[in-house]
Amino acid sequence: MSKTYKIAVLPGDGIGPEIIDQGIKVLNAVSKRFGVNFEFTKALIGGAAIDVEGVPLPDSTLELAKNSDAVFMGSIGDWKYDKLDPAIRPECGLLKIRKELNLFANLRPVVVYDELAASSTLKEDVVKGVDIMMVRELTSGLYFGEPKGIELRNGEKVGFNTMIYKESEIERIVRLAFDIAMKRRKKLCSVDKANVLDVSRLWREVVERVAKDYPEVELSHIYVDNAAMQLVRNPKQYDVMVMENMFGDILSDEASMLTGSLGMLASASLTDKGPALYEPSHGSAPDIKGQDKANPIATIMSAAMMLKYSFNLDKEANAMEEAIKQVLKEGYRTADIMSEGASLVGTNKMGDLVSEKIVCNILN
Ligand code: IPM
Ligand code: MG
């Protein structure tokens, strides 16, 4: 009897439930094809949890996540919650689960499939062949720093946040980025704003120190503004990039457009102990919710990352990626990556096509 992997499934809001359904469908196809067992247990997060329980991350959801082998998440947020107290907005549920599970390393692979190179808003020769691993610090920095708030000072309101890092927090994410670079093309670019920010000067100091343990890795430093520019000028110069939480939030959205669509960007949020979390990098897109228009590929690729990073099921993960490539090669596209002459399909059909490819045994 082979092991059963326990997966906590948190569909969330907007397009979350429909894209998660495709992820589960494809994982079931993997089960059928390779005989591995997955046990899915659903729970609420984000607005869906606020509606039922009044909080964006119920204790029961956190408990389930902690007792699972991995967490598979859709997306959170909807305009209808924009006016809520900031302490119970849907986003807080996501930030809290990242913190509670100590998911300090967010991996966002920016891979441009040949089939989609023409779908990018950038020139094909600029994006073709791009393969960047963005490593975003996820549990500290500007997102979590104290003090923060909005208060009255001298008769007017002031708003403030703090970008703060402990050496140990920088070191663990940077080390992980170096380890990843060692398994790839051995190039690491650290993004900071050391010409202005003290926290970045410390960041750079720690990067330099850790680099001594990785003499084979070619290290570079870049200011975040320049990185934003270089990513659209010549993205192929990058292998692995590592950065602070907020910088990573911004640059990963930018980099996603190299791939043709934010709907192509998967992500894995890892920790050194306990379950990791897998979610697409995009948001909940409430404007197309329930219309069978969303691109499920980022979610399916996030599920493939789960197989690879949490379960060591490399063969199965590769089969998922291969199936996606084949479906794209055959010309099937969701609306966001549609191009002339291609066949437009909905969310559900895209999930079916990828699943069929896996089960059909076309792959080895
Ligand atoms: C992301 C998202 C989240 C973030 C939001 C939804 C809180 O934009 O995962 O990039 O800012 O981290
Ligand atoms: Mg973001």
Side-chain angles (χ1 to χ4, degrees):
M1 196 46 200
S2 64
K3 177 178 161 62
T4 297
Y5 297 97
K6 287 198 288 181
I7 302 174
V9 178
L10 316 180
D13 309 320
I15 57 170
E18 48 198 298
I19 53 177
I20 276 288
D21 281 350
Q22 308 316 309
I24 292 177
K25 189 190 280 175
V26 175
L27 287 171
N28 282 331
V30 168
S31 271
K32 228 188 213 169
R33 167 87 174 79
F34 295 97
V36 285
N37 302 315
F38 304 114
E39 180 188 294
F40 302 104
T41 312
K42 283 194 180 168
L44 298 171
I45 193 168
I50 296 174
D51 288 347
V52 179
E53 312 229 3
V55 288
L57 182 68
D59 291 343
S60 53
T61 299
L62 188 58
E63 260 326 284
L64 171 75
K66 284 184 173 163
N67 292 315
S68 300
D69 296 313
V71 183
F72 186 34
M73 212 197 82
S75 51
I76 51 97
D78 197 321
W79 300 309
K80 81 177 207 215
Y81 307 103
D82 280 356
K83 295 212 163 57
L84 280 182
D85 172 348
I88 53 160
R89 283 179 58 111
E91 287 78 3
C92 299
L94 178 56
L95 297 182
K96 188 168 171 200
I97 198 168
R98 286 175 179 170
K99 194 76 176 169
E100 291 279 343
L101 298 180
N102 194 27
L103 306 171
F104 65 87
N106 184 220
L107 273 45
R108 297 187 164 181
V110 181
V111 180
V112 177
Y113 290 160
D114 283 353
E115 293 74 26
L116 290 187
S119 311
S120 173
T121 47
L122 294 172
K123 288 197 184 112
E124 197 172 335
D125 63 312
V126 173
V127 298
K128 205 164 181 183
V130 163
D131 180 359
I132 306 172
M133 181 60 90
M134 293 222 151
V135 181
R136 169 189 176 191
E137 200 291 326
L138 203 60
T139 50
S140 185
L142 192 56
Y143 269 50
F144 292 94
E146 303 272 357
K148 61 172 183 165
I150 300 175
E151 62 186 38
L152 216 52
R153 290 187 197 166
N154 301 323
E156 68 172 336
K157 281 193 200 165
V158 295
F160 50 97
N161 287 89
T162 305
M163 190 188 279
I164 182 165
Y165 272 102
K166 292 191 273 195
E167 282 183 282
S168 53
E169 290 170 327
I170 304 170
E171 175 156 352
R172 66 181 179 179
I173 188 77
V174 166
R175 237 173 233 294
L176 189 129
F178 270 109
D179 286 338
I180 292 172
M182 283 299 289
K183 291 190 199 138
R184 294 173 45 108
R185 304 192 298 278
K186 297 196 170 67
K187 279 173 71 177
L188 177 65
C189 178
S190 169
V191 179
D192 64 37
K193 188 68 186 174
N195 51 343
V196 176
L197 302 176
D198 299 282
V199 56
S200 282
R201 280 194 282 277
L202 177 65
W203 179 281
R204 200 175 271 221
E205 187 185 307
V206 175
V207 173
E208 286 292 338
R209 193 167 70 217
V210 175
K212 296 204 173 76
D213 295 338
Y214 298 86
E216 280 177 60
V217 176
E218 183 193 321
L219 171 69
S220 60
H221 301 277
I222 190 168
Y223 299 142
V224 62
D225 49 348
N226 189 11
M229 186 269 279
Q230 295 294 339
L231 273 172
V232 288
R233 192 186 76 88
N234 175 21
K236 270 180 263 191
Q237 64 185 298
Y238 296 118
D239 177 15
V240 182
M241 303 180 88
V242 63
M243 64 210 80
E244 189 272 343
N245 202 342
M246 176 77 156
F247 295 166
D249 180 45
I250 298 170
L251 291 187
S252 61
D253 262 36
E254 187 197 8
S256 76
M257 284 316 292
L258 306 172
T259 69
S261 165
L262 190 49
M264 296 297 295
L265 204 65
S267 103
S269 302
L270 309 178
T271 174
D272 44 14
K273 211 169 90 221
L277 181 148
Y278 300 84
E279 56 166 331
S281 299
H282 59 71
S284 52
D287 53 328
I288 55 163
K289 154 185 177 183
Q291 297 171 30
D292 198 38
K293 281 188 185 158
N295 183 350
I297 294 181
T299 310
I300 299 170
M301 291 204 297
S302 303
M305 291 184 89
M306 172 164 74
L307 300 196
K308 196 175 278 178
Y309 290 96
S310 282
F311 308 155
N312 284 321
L313 297 172
D314 282 14
K315 183 177 63 189
E316 290 80 353
N318 292 340
M320 288 172 78
E321 284 167 13
E322 231 1 88
I324 292 170
K325 277 190 204 158
Q326 288 190 15
V327 169
L328 292 173
K329 200 170 269 164
E330 286 171 14
Y332 295 104
R333 304 279 188 274
T334 44
D336 56 319
I337 49 174
M338 186 58 189
S339 59
E340 228 185 286
S343 318
L344 181 66
V345 295
T347 312
N348 204 36
K349 179 77 182 168
M350 185 56 97
D352 287 345
L353 288 165
V354 176
S355 306
E356 280 160 21
K357 278 273 175 282
I358 291 170
V359 178
C360 276
N361 233 341
I362 295 165
L363 312 158
N364 45 34

